[in-house]
Amino acid sequence: MSAPETDTTAVEPDADALRERALASLTTARERTALLTDCVDEPDLTAQHSPLMSPLVWDLAHIGNQEELWLLRAVGGREAMRPEIDTLYDAFEHPRAERPSLPLLPPAEARRYAAEVRGRVTDLLAAADFHGTRLTEAGFAFGMIAQHEQQHDETMLITHQLRKGPQALTAPDPEPAAPFTGPAEVLVPGGPFIMGTSAEPWALDNERPAHPREVAPFWIDTTPVTNGAYQAFIADGGYDTERWWTPEGWAHIRRHSLRAPQFWRRDAGQWLRRRFGITEVVPAEEPVLHVCWYEADAYARWAGRRLPTEAEWEKAARFDPATGRSRRYPWGDADPAPEHANLGQRHLRPAPAGSYPAGESALGVRQLIGDVWEWTASDFLPYPGFQAFPYKEYSEVFFGSGYKVLRGGSFAVDAVACRGTFRNWDHPIRRQIFSGFRTARSDSL
């Protein structure tokens, strides 16, 4: 087989197109922030609904503060608006559990601050020069901040899932889909492919640089593992059988008495779940959600399979065997559209497994983007040639065996913060995130 092509070449848009894209991305993020914070009253905004999460009002002001730091100060060279609050909203200065005790801006003031920052950023963007520095090239800093706000919007949506009380958010359900009747798994050919990117202008540092990877042939699930399949694991004593678990995983589930995915409970012979303030029967056809890495790994062992490595996941998502090149997304190079994937909080749940045929990869794998973050077998590590940018705390301080990589995004992720190369990571014990998985197996031939 010939060597794969190098990274997809991005055509640089002109300045007006960059401005339009940046403004649209920032506006979409801010509208979502308002949706997540305007739907609850002040006590809900200032309360800490879980020690794992910040009060919503902290996220609200932090979004504005990061926008001021990177766009007004770093790009625009402006004087600080509120230098006295910088340390309050430094995510590395104060752990989440401490943030409720800080002298945070109250909701109305936090909104005014974020709005004033945005007004000044809009003026800055209108006259921006997208050349000269790495931070400004192709509008990177504006894209970084749009992604940052959307990432905090996802975090705030997690807080909404954790908060007690009645439903505060609403959204239509995904369109009903015909039951998936395709193959259960797809063979991904062995050989080299290009992983990561050097051409995607708004890609973050851990996605870079593009580099060749060699992957042996393997089989991967066509769709994510469903609630129905996971219930079979539970019914077969999956949480009571030590051999399916790593030693750390077994110790974790015994210590915390885990018996099912987070937010599930058994009642009158059926599984129920709590979802954004609503209690409902667990839908068998949806991808399983709110499982930690240890649970995903144990299920895969029980099924006689394994979790895919990060490289395997990306090859299944991006590799086109007809051309030998790596696509931007499973379906090709076009930006995500509603027919491709369940993204952007359009819905408040995953779509049934097998949905979005227009979004399948060249190899026939579905729902690799959107619906649920997918745990992989891999630790979060730098690519060869990695360079931290624009600050080490975005990725570099997290590299190591303490974090596992998740890929693909969820229904809570916006398209601006989701690509075929996008990498997420978390501790293997985390379950409040919108995490699921699919399994793989090595080719026996």
Side-chain angles (χ1 to χ4, degrees), residues 324-349:
R325 63 182 287 271
S326 292
R327 299 168 163 186
R328 293 179 69 213
Y329 297 97
W331 54 85
D333 294 338
D335 289 339
E339 66 269 19
H340 292 134
N342 182 6
L343 292 168
Q345 202 181 308
R346 296 197 314 272
H347 313 294
L348 289 171
R349 64 196 307 156

Side-chain angles (χ1 to χ4, degrees), residues 134-152:
R134 189 174 172 189
L135 196 60
T136 57
E137 191 72 31
F140 174 82
F142 295 94
M144 178 183 73
I145 288 301
Q147 291 176 81
H148 173 265
E149 182 161 355
Q150 287 286 2
Q151 288 165 341
H152 275 272

Side-chain angles (χ1 to χ4, degrees), residues 282-338:
V282 172
E285 72 281 1
E286 281 186 15
V288 68
L289 194 61
H290 298 301
V291 290
C292 70
W293 185 90
Y294 293 129
E295 291 169 295
D297 179 69
Y299 173 96
R301 293 167 187 257
W302 169 81
R305 298 170 70 82
R306 59 178 174 80
L307 295 179
T309 66
E310 183 182 13
E312 287 175 334
W313 187 98
E314 187 166 326
K315 185 166 189 180
R318 299 183 64 210
F319 182 68
D320 182 353
T323 64
R325 63 182 287 271
S326 292
R327 299 168 163 186
R328 293 179 69 213
Y329 297 97
W331 54 85
D333 294 338
D335 289 339

